[in-house]
Amino acid sequence: MRAGMMVEGFKLGCQCGQVTGRIAAHPHWQGNRLTCYCQDCRAYLHHLAQTDSLNDFGGTDIYQVPPAHVSILTGHDQLACLQLTRGGVYRWYTQCCHTPIGNCFSPFWPMVGIIHSFVREPLETLVGPTSGSVYCRGALGRLPDELKGARSQKVMVLRLITKLLAWKLCGKNSPSVFFVNGAPLAPPQQLYSCFADKG
């Protein structure tokens, strides 16, 4: 899919059907598909008992878009949140069936990384192949080159920073279904204290 093309709007939904949503149609350049191999993404999915959302090497398929493109149509009362580190990423999921929804840095930074298992069709069909991978050193085994994507981690990070700045300048951090007046819609469950106790 070429950078100048439009991505049609597509459906979001949890496994049991109580929570549904949509990502609005947008230019292809405004989305960013990547695979993340960090330990925190794996811990998030392990906590939700959703390890089926990981690939064979422990990676999470994510589609990053501005919050303004994401809407929740039904099941707002089922949205829940957790944090793995103090002041860390807000990781959203559904209370009804523990489907992972996505990750947000904060209400200030206009990005939500939607987890592929919350998307009702394969991302490959909707937006094309992954652009690249990040935190490859955290992968569970040596990653085949064909899974890494075309762009290096350095390029992927620079690409995200550029998008964040553009989205911020365009005011695409609002409206957000995840934050209201700068506060998370649901108080995040603080898991870092649990991990500290285990250590």
Side-chain angles (χ1 to χ4, degrees), residues 10-23 44-45 50 53 60-63 70-76 78-79 92-103 112-123 126 177-178:
F10 53 86
K11 296 178 181 178
L12 306 172
C14 69
Q15 293 161 7
C16 74
Q18 289 195 55
V19 180
T20 62
R22 187 169 179 82
I23 291 181
Y44 160 52
L45 296 176
Q50 295 287 340
S53 294
T60 309
D61 193 358
I62 298 171
Y63 188 59
V70 181
S71 57
I72 297 296
L73 305 177
T74 63
H76 292 82
Q78 294 298 323
L79 298 185
W92 296 88
Y93 66 97
T94 66
Q95 295 185 72
C96 46
C97 57
H98 282 195
T99 299
I101 295 174
N103 307 318
V112 53
I114 297 294
I115 309 300
H116 73 98
S117 48
F118 191 56
V119 181
R120 295 299 87 202
E121 296 180 59
L123 282 173
L126 296 167
V177 297
F178 302 108

Side-chain angles (χ1 to χ4, degrees), residues 44-59:
Y44 160 52
L45 296 176
H46 275 278
H47 178 74
L48 299 177
Q50 295 287 340
T51 54
D52 286 350
S53 294
L54 298 168
N55 69 19
D56 292 341
F57 294 87

Side-chain angles (χ1 to χ4, degrees), residues 23 26 30-32 63-70 110-114 167:
I23 291 181
H26 56 277
Q30 287 193 6
N32 190 42
Y63 188 59
Q64 297 173 328
V65 289
H69 289 344
V70 181
M111 190 281 292
V112 53
I114 297 294
W167 294 340

Side-chain angles (χ1 to χ4, degrees), residues 47 80-84 93 186-192 194:
H47 178 74
C81 181
L82 59 85
Q83 287 179 303
L84 298 172
Y93 66 97
Q189 181 185 4
Q190 310 290 346
L191 291 191
Y192 51 82
C194 300

Side-chain angles (χ1 to χ4, degrees), residues 23-46:
I23 291 181
H26 56 277
H28 186 259
W29 69 267
Q30 287 193 6
N32 190 42
R33 185 184 175 196
L34 58 84
T35 306
C36 181
Y37 291 92
C38 78
Q39 293 182 358
D40 283 355
C41 279
R42 280 202 297 277
Y44 160 52
L45 296 176
H46 275 278

Side-chain angles (χ1 to χ4, degrees), residues 96-148:
C96 46
C97 57
H98 282 195
T99 299
I101 295 174
N103 307 318
C104 301
F105 292 137
S106 74
F108 178 80
W109 289 112
M111 190 281 292
V112 53
I114 297 294
I115 309 300
H116 73 98
S117 48
F118 191 56
V119 181
R120 295 299 87 202
E121 296 180 59
L123 282 173
E124 191 81 20
T125 302
L126 296 167
V127 302
T130 186
S131 297
S133 299
V134 293
Y135 300 107
C136 294
R137 291 183 179 180
L140 304 178
R142 183 179 176 84
L143 273 179
D145 289 341
E146 59 268 22
L147 282 185
K148 292 181 180 179

